[in-house]
Amino acid sequence: MPLATEPFLSVRGIRKAFGPVKVLHGVDLDLPAGSVTALLGENGAGKSTFVRILAGDHAPDAGEIRIDGEKFQFRSVGKAREAGIRLIAQEIADAPTLSVAENISLGAQPARWGFVNRRAVRKTAHEALDALGADIALDAKVETLRLGERQIIEIARATVGASRCVIFDEPTAALSDAETRRLFALIERMRNQGVAILYITHRLDEVFEIADRVCVLRDGRVSLNTEVDAVDQNTVVTAMVGRELAVAEDSAPPEVRSLGKPLLAVEALSGESFEDVSLSVAPGEIVGLYGKVGSGVPEFAATLFGAAPRHRGAVHLDGAPVHFKHPAEAVAQGVGFLPADRASEGLLQMRTAAENLSAPSWAHLSRAGFIGRRREADAFRTWHRTLHIRSRPDGSERITTLSGGNQQKILLGRWLENGSRLLLLVEPTRGVDVGAREEIYQLLRNLAREGHGILIASSDYEDITHAATRSLVMVRGRIVAELEREDISVASLTRVAGGAAHV
């Protein structure tokens, strides 16, 4: 890996506070041209605030930023872009009603005589997508695309123009394996062209595959900043959490004993992207449904919840046939659901943490048609302790101010408050750091021991290997394997999902 000696961008003593909350406490970092720096840290460590300062979204309270040795002030996103800095944020910020080509040129539309040059817009989009090896129709409306394709468009937009520094924030969370490989190839080309790259991820395997240096933030301070070759994964994790992440004594998935009749029984169910799927989930069981992007796994879970149409097949809940045509019907029957994209499909972003947790339970928390705020806060306090949510005890802050891991715990808590016995969890740890992941896995184990039935539908092998009591693997919309606890491993999941074996 070619390493540059002179930094393109250098930051010293960056501090930032929001009211009384101090987020960054004097961060120093160099980003050399032609090098990939991985930026790691638990949710709430200050990563997002730091990169938004670099991208011109926030102004630092103190410190300085230099480009090519000269002091620079990023007073706006436009000024940062003029300096060649591009941010590909974790939360997709596209224009859903515009076409793919128009989205890729957003903010930098080629113009001629004061009018947008449509031919140039299409040419620019075609070249950007071609560099990513992506085959997406230029005229397609972005709102019709799947999440992974929208992420590719975000990445393509950042490559348009004279980029000298590109910041990737969790870029592979919604990408398939093939799309991830193409992204890594693009990053390698950028590095060879002298672009400085800052790469934020929770996946440590990605760090050791593509990065030259690794920087870890903990509580708004740099706790590690070194070459990747000088550290191992344990060193990085310790720098992130401030301690060695020990495995709890009861961290193994719960033993399956006398589960009784299935809580959920699915027979030959077919839907939009899957066919003839049969499975069951008993009380006390955590069933993993593993499949890579395009496998049909999230669509299957959405169909069970009534959020997508069923073509044929049967579903039984507690032995009784059900056919949910709307999620409200599933909720009324004690089914809880975590969507893959919590920002757009799960969170009430303008509401508080307490309101988000209590939303499905508003009916029994209200009196005479009015929601009891005190009851709402009391409900939040109960799950605040149980789920170890890091927030105000009464949940009075807006949900979007909390880290991804805490948001996910609140979305899980809403179904526990509502008394849901069956939990359908899609990508439950997406965008969640290593420490919060283990906390969520432990919560799921405890819930299983209390008699909940849990289905984890995920493309992340860690969700399955760390939590599932047994697992099914789906490929191209069909179940191709069922693995018992002792057979679940990264190797077995990867092999079967890749089509190497059918069981």
Side-chain angles (χ1 to χ4, degrees):
M1 296 181 182
L3 289 173
T5 56
E6 294 298 326
F8 156 70
L9 186 147
S10 178
V11 299
R12 292 291 181 270
I14 294 295
R15 297 177 179 272
K16 183 64 179 179
F18 295 96
V21 180
K22 296 180 180 180
V23 180
L24 298 176
H25 304 269
V27 174
D28 299 340
L29 184 64
D30 291 331
L31 296 181
S35 184
V36 178
T37 300
L39 181 63
L40 308 179
E42 292 194 278
N43 290 108
K47 302 187 303 298
S48 294
T49 299
F50 179 70
V51 298
R52 290 196 176 279
I53 287 173
L54 298 185
D57 275 345
H58 298 319
D61 298 332
E64 67 176 24
I65 301 172
R66 291 182 178 271
I67 293 180
D68 291 330
E70 296 185 7
K71 193 171 181 179
F72 198 91
Q73 287 187 324
F74 296 151
R75 299 185 182 276
S76 66
V77 173
K79 289 294 183 182
R81 286 183 63 88
E82 288 177 10
I85 297 175
R86 306 285 192 274
L87 168 63
I88 304 169
Q90 182 179 356
E91 305 297 346
I92 291 176
D94 54 23
T97 60
L98 298 183
S99 71
V100 168
E102 290 167 329
N103 266 273
I104 290 174
S105 291
L106 275 179
Q109 292 94 338
R112 188 177 184 184
W113 298 323
F115 295 94
V116 174
N117 187 333
R118 300 293 179 184
R119 181 177 295 179
V121 166
R122 292 179 61 83
K123 182 175 183 292
T124 297
H126 175 76
E127 291 173 349
L129 291 176
D130 189 58
L132 281 164
D135 184 17
I136 304 175
L138 297 181
D139 294 324
K141 291 287 191 293
V142 166
E143 63 188 356
T144 67
L145 305 180
R146 62 178 177 81
L147 185 60
E149 291 172 324
R150 294 173 72 176
Q151 182 68 66
I152 289 171
I153 291 167
E154 292 282 294
I155 295 169
R157 185 190 306 145
T159 65
V160 173
S163 299
R164 298 188 63 195
C165 175
V166 178
I167 304 169
F168 293 91
D169 189 355
E170 294 283 351
T172 63
L175 301 186
S176 67
D177 284 345
E179 290 165 343
T180 297
R181 303 319 309 173
R182 290 195 290 267
L183 171 62
F184 287 175
L186 174 67
I187 288 174
E188 179 66 18
R189 290 196 297 273
M190 286 180 169
R191 174 174 25 211
N192 292 336
Q193 293 165 2
V195 177
I197 294 169
L198 186 61
Y199 189 91
I200 302 174
T201 183
H202 290 309
R203 300 299 302 267
L204 297 184
D205 54 338
E206 294 181 352
V207 173
F208 288 89
E209 180 172 357
I210 68 170
D212 302 304
R213 296 189 60 84
V214 57
C215 177
V216 176
L217 290 184
R218 185 172 75 244
D219 298 328
R221 295 178 173 86
V222 174
S223 60
L224 179 70
N225 188 6
T226 187
E227 293 184 7
V228 166
D229 293 342
V231 293
D232 57 17
Q233 289 198 10
N234 287 336
T235 303
V236 173
V237 170
T238 300
M240 291 171 63
V241 302
R243 66 190 187 283
E244 289 193 20
L245 196 62
V247 178
E249 291 181 2
D250 58 349
S251 63
E255 294 290 334
V256 182
R257 296 176 183 172
S258 303
L259 297 174
K261 295 180 180 179
L263 180 58
L264 172 72
V266 181
E267 301 170 5
L269 190 67
S270 296
E272 189 76 20
S273 303
F274 59 92
E275 191 170 359
D276 293 330
V277 175
S278 298
L279 59 78
S280 64
V281 179
E285 207 175 17
I286 303 177
V287 176
L289 182 60
Y290 178 76
K292 305 308 291 181
V293 174
S295 65
V297 165
E299 292 84 357
F300 172 77
T303 299
L304 289 182
F305 192 59
R310 177 199 304 186
H311 294 171
R312 59 182 179 277
V315 178
H316 289 78
L317 190 64
D318 268 332
V322 294
H323 189 163
F324 301 135
K325 296 181 180 180
H326 190 278
E329 298 175 4
V331 173
Q333 291 292 318
V335 181
F337 182 76
L338 284 189
D341 186 356
R342 64 174 172 266
S344 64
E345 299 175 0
L347 300 179
L348 305 174
Q349 298 199 26
M350 301 303 292
R351 298 278 189 167
T352 66
E355 289 172 317
N356 268 271
L357 186 142
S358 301
S361 307
W362 278 340
H364 74 254
L365 291 174
S366 64
R367 293 292 183 272
F370 294 93
I371 298 172
R373 298 301 184 189
R374 181 175 297 177
R375 294 187 182 90
E376 195 173 63
D378 288 343
F380 187 86
R381 285 189 182 93
T382 298
W383 298 111
H384 180 268
R385 293 189 298 269
T386 302
L387 302 180
H388 305 292
I389 298 169
R390 294 178 179 86
S391 70
R392 295 172 188 163
D394 63 354
S396 57
E397 67 266 66
R398 185 178 291 183
I399 186 75
T400 51
T401 66
L402 302 182
S403 69
N406 287 302
Q407 290 176 359
Q408 202 74 326
K409 290 178 186 179
I410 289 169
L411 292 183
L412 181 60
R414 70 167 45 155
W415 302 118
L416 304 181
E417 171 65 22
N418 198 50
S420 302
R421 291 186 61 211
L422 176 65
L423 302 175
L424 308 175
L425 314 180
V426 184
E427 307 288 356
T429 62
R430 174 173 287 170
V432 173
D433 65 66
V434 62
R437 273 177 176 251
E438 185 52 41
E439 288 183 346
I440 290 174
Y441 295 145
Q442 190 58 50
L443 289 171
L444 298 183
R445 297 175 194 120
N446 293 339
L447 291 172
R449 293 186 180 98
E450 293 169 5
H452 288 80
I454 301 171
L455 178 68
I456 297 178
S458 181
S459 61
D460 189 333
Y461 57 75
E462 288 189 9
D463 289 344
I464 310 302
T465 59
H466 284 61
T469 54
R470 62 185 174 90
S471 177
L472 297 98
V473 181
M474 184 180 286
V475 176
R476 297 186 183 90
R478 290 181 176 272
I479 300 293
V480 299
E482 182 169 355
L483 305 174
E484 296 302 323
R485 176 63 238 167
E486 59 271 17
D487 298 322
I488 298 174
S489 66
V490 174
S492 63
L493 292 171
T494 303
R495 186 186 72 251
V496 177
H502 288 219
V503 181

